[in-house]
Amino acid sequence: MSNARIAGMTLILTRAQAQDYARLNQYAVMMFTDAGSDYVAGRCCMLNGLFPGLRLASEAVEKILKAFIFLVTGHKSITKGNDRHNPYLLKQELRKMHLDSNLDVFDSVLTKLHDHFQSRYYDNPIKNKDASTSELAQIDELFIYLVETLPMPDEVKYRTLFFAQLCDANARIHWRGYYWTTLSNGALNGKMELIERRYQEVFEYLYQKPHKA
């Protein structure tokens, strides 16, 4: 996550406008919320050598891609049937409307994540049966990149559960999300101070700065 991305755009939405945006884009907000929870749970499993964490990672990427598609197009993914769970095909759908070619570098990770999702049943066809928790580093790079580039205003994005678990003092005390998100996470190396600063900026802007009606 680049310093420029974390710094973000100028904050312009009032609290009421941010709430309106969240209501209008509730599907994307909730998909991002669930994606963050799956990502944290998946990291917890993988860091403890449990392979089901790879399936949770696939679902996390699937959900954040669906949030991405909704925010870009204004509607839910048009991918149907079993393909709607395929992160690679969701990324291909997004690429038709979104010009960020950087996502293409993650094609092999996206394809393998779908294999891991398919492995939830022993008789599902799987192209590549190899699985290793060493894949976590690439999954981290992909997921954090998607969080970073998710086209959601910071006034909304930084008030979601994913950032609350990372930056809110009470959340850190009562929930282990911060620990499992940051433990051995190279994609976040050197970035947490900036993320926490942005989180505090958004909080102060929305809840402490007076806004005109």
Side-chain angles (χ1 to χ4, degrees):
M1 191 181 294
S2 69
N3 291 4
R5 292 287 187 184
I6 296 172
M9 302 290 288
T10 301
L11 299 172
I12 59 173
L13 298 183
T14 65
R15 191 194 316 181
Q17 289 171 333
Q19 291 169 343
D20 286 343
Y21 180 96
R23 279 193 292 270
L24 289 171
N25 296 278
Q26 183 181 31
Y27 175 83
V29 172
M30 295 309 298
M31 277 294 183
F32 178 38
T33 298
D34 284 352
S37 296
D38 288 345
Y39 174 67
V40 176
R43 292 197 93 253
C44 177
C45 288
M46 283 182 273
L47 288 165
N48 286 283
L50 300 174
F51 289 104
L54 291 165
R55 296 200 294 273
L56 284 167
S58 181
E59 292 183 35
V61 172
E62 171 196 336
K63 290 172 183 176
I64 195 170
L65 282 170
K66 287 177 175 177
F68 218 124
I69 289 168
F70 186 89
L71 292 172
V72 169
T73 66
H75 56 72
K76 298 179 183 180
S77 167
I78 61 174
T79 306
K80 303 297 182 183
N82 290 331
D83 287 345
R84 71 188 188 279
H85 300 300
N86 188 326
Y88 174 75
L89 293 181
L90 290 169
K91 173 244 145 184
Q92 290 293 86
E93 179 183 343
L94 179 61
R95 282 284 283 120
K96 292 178 181 178
M97 301 82 67
H98 189 62
L99 301 179
D100 183 4
S101 60
N102 291 329
L103 277 175
D104 294 342
V105 305
F106 296 108
D107 282 356
S108 62
V109 183
L110 291 161
T111 300
K112 199 159 189 181
L113 281 171
H114 184 56
D115 283 346
H116 297 319
F117 180 76
Q118 291 290 82
S119 71
R120 70 198 188 282
Y121 299 118
Y122 80 93
D123 56 348
N124 269 353
I126 303 171
K127 294 178 183 178
N128 187 343
K129 294 185 178 181
D130 295 333
S132 171
T133 55
S134 66
E135 297 171 45
L136 180 56
Q138 291 180 308
I139 293 169
D140 286 336
E141 290 292 338
L142 169 59
F143 190 82
I144 297 302
Y145 180 78
L146 288 169
V147 171
E148 171 189 2
T149 57
L150 187 70
M152 182 182 289
D154 282 0
E155 296 93 327
V156 179
K157 184 190 291 188
Y158 276 79
R159 297 304 299 161
T160 58
L161 177 62
F162 182 78
F163 286 100
Q165 72 193 16
L166 287 179
C167 306
D168 184 86
N170 289 328
R172 289 187 184 184
I173 293 172
H174 299 292
W175 195 60
R176 296 281 283 173
Y178 173 83
Y179 178 80
W180 293 117
T181 302
T182 58
L183 180 64
S184 301
N185 193 334
L188 288 176
N189 277 350
K191 305 300 181 183
M192 281 306 304
E193 183 178 348
L194 291 168
I195 290 172
E196 290 168 354
R197 186 184 307 162
R198 186 60 170 173
Y199 178 87
Q200 188 62 30
E201 286 173 354
V202 170
F203 177 81
E204 291 176 358
Y205 172 80
L206 289 176
Y207 297 99
Q208 296 178 6
K209 180 180 178 179
H211 296 284
K212 292 182 180 179

